């Protein structure tokens, strides 16, 4: 999997409008959420927090290996009712309008192991504003509170998870692992290649002793494609 790469999507880049600049250069025709729409989404999500306490955020993809926000601690956890899937076409970060890439979302059904980040309640709005700039770009995700299960968490705690919006124009219904691997092996954009995204996610999960057979099968197919 190689050495850990320096990622352009840093905390400072998010603060300085890197995502907006990337979108402007991309030429995508996808509708992009306004700052006001993102602000209202974040406010509504925090207002729906089941209990007034520190905020937990569930990471299942790039948040695991490149959070770019401040947190108190992180723990491996399980959520139920959602599974990790390459179901979002991206013409911006990991692809282009001519050759969209694929990134992960949480689609309905099954379960998913990932990493929960605990954010101090007093800092939650400021830290999550950076996350919203990054994740809530086109409205392809629906932030919602889900129950988190993990030995290092209080019983009954919930966290925010970015689930896929199946009504989004760039939602992709699951296809074969072979077809998924073909896209991942060849697509690349301003944030790097889909291949790096895949292997960075696998490596990040393995750091918490989480092994995803679906991702590992795709990784083997991607490696064969490159060979």
């Amino acid at each position: 999997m190689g050495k850990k790469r320096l990622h352009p999507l840093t905390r400072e880049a998010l603060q300085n409008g890197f995502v907006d600049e990337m979108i402007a250069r991309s030429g995508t025709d996808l509708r992009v959420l306004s700052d006001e729409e993102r602000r209202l989404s974040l406010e509504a999500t925090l207002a729906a927090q089941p209990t007034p306490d520190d905020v937990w955020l569930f990471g299942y993809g790039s948040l695991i290996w490149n959070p770019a926000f401040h947190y108190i601690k992180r723990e491996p956890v399980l959520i139920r009712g959602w599974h990790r899937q390459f179901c979002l076409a991206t013409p911006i970060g990991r692809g282009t309008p001519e050759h969209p890439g694929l990134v992960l979302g949480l689609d309905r059904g099954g379960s998913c192991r990932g990493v929960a980040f605990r954010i101090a309640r007093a800092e939650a709005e400021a830290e999550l504003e950076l996350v919203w700039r990054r994740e809530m770009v086109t409205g392809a995700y629906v932030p919602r509170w889900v129950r988190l299960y993990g030995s290092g968490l209080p019983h009954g705690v919930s966290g925010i998870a970015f689930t896929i919006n199946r009504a989004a124009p760039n939602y992709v219904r699951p296809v074969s692992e072979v077809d998924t691997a073909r896209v991942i092996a060849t697509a690349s954009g301003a944030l790097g290649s889909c291949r790096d995204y895949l292997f960075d996610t696998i490596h990040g999960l393995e750091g918490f002793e989480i092994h995803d057979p679906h991702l590992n099968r795709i990784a083997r197919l991607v490696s064969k494609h490159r060979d």
Side-chain angles (χ1 to χ4, degrees):
M1 296 189 188
K3 296 180 180 179
K4 182 176 176 60
R5 286 167 287 276
L6 294 177
H7 197 276
L9 204 58
T10 63
R11 179 183 182 85
E12 292 73 21
L14 289 168
Q15 291 171 328
N16 294 331
F18 173 83
V19 173
D20 289 339
E21 294 174 6
M22 180 176 65
I23 293 167
R25 292 193 304 265
S26 72
T28 181
D29 58 2
L30 283 176
R31 180 182 176 276
V32 176
L33 297 187
S34 67
D35 290 342
E36 178 68 5
E37 287 174 312
R38 284 198 298 269
R39 182 185 65 81
L40 291 173
S41 169
L42 173 55
E43 289 179 354
T45 302
L46 288 175
Q49 185 178 11
T51 57
D53 204 343
D54 289 346
V55 175
W56 290 87
L57 176 66
F58 180 70
Y60 54 89
S62 63
L63 288 179
I64 296 174
W65 45 268
N66 183 41
F69 60 87
H70 293 157
Y71 56 90
I72 299 171
K73 64 182 297 189
R74 55 186 182 172
E75 296 283 346
V77 299
L78 171 76
I79 66 170
R80 297 191 173 112
W82 303 91
H83 67 281
R84 184 173 24 243
Q85 181 74 42
F86 277 101
C87 58
L88 183 63
T90 173
I92 304 172
R94 297 283 176 171
T96 64
E98 297 75 25
H99 188 181
L102 280 171
V103 293
L104 293 164
L106 287 175
D107 212 346
R108 299 172 190 163
S111 62
C112 181
R113 294 190 180 276
V115 178
F117 297 85
R118 181 180 177 181
I119 304 171
R121 189 63 183 84
E123 300 175 3
E125 187 168 350
E127 295 305 313
L128 289 173
E129 197 268 336
L130 296 176
V131 178
W132 253 247
R133 288 192 195 188
R134 167 183 177 166
E135 303 295 332
M136 297 297 289
V137 178
T138 64
Y141 293 121
V142 178
R144 68 178 76 231
W145 293 92
V146 298
R147 185 67 63 85
L148 304 175
Y149 300 89
S151 59
L153 275 69
H155 176 71
V157 71
S158 294
I160 300 169
F162 289 99
T163 63
I164 199 68
N165 176 8
R166 285 191 168 186
N170 50 336
Y171 169 70
V172 177
R173 292 194 177 278
V175 294
S176 72
E177 291 179 346
V178 171
D179 289 338
T180 297
R182 185 177 300 114
V183 174
I184 292 172
T186 57
S188 184
L191 295 180
S193 69
C194 283
R195 182 184 187 279
D196 286 347
Y197 173 89
L198 168 64
F199 284 107
D200 285 341
T201 299
I202 291 172
H203 185 264
L205 288 167
E206 288 179 343
F208 292 89
E209 298 185 351
I210 299 171
H211 302 278
D212 187 315
H214 173 59
L215 294 190
N216 289 335
R217 288 193 299 270
I218 292 175
R220 287 193 289 272
L221 291 167
V222 168
S223 296
K224 290 179 181 178
H225 190 280
R226 286 175 59 87
D227 293 338

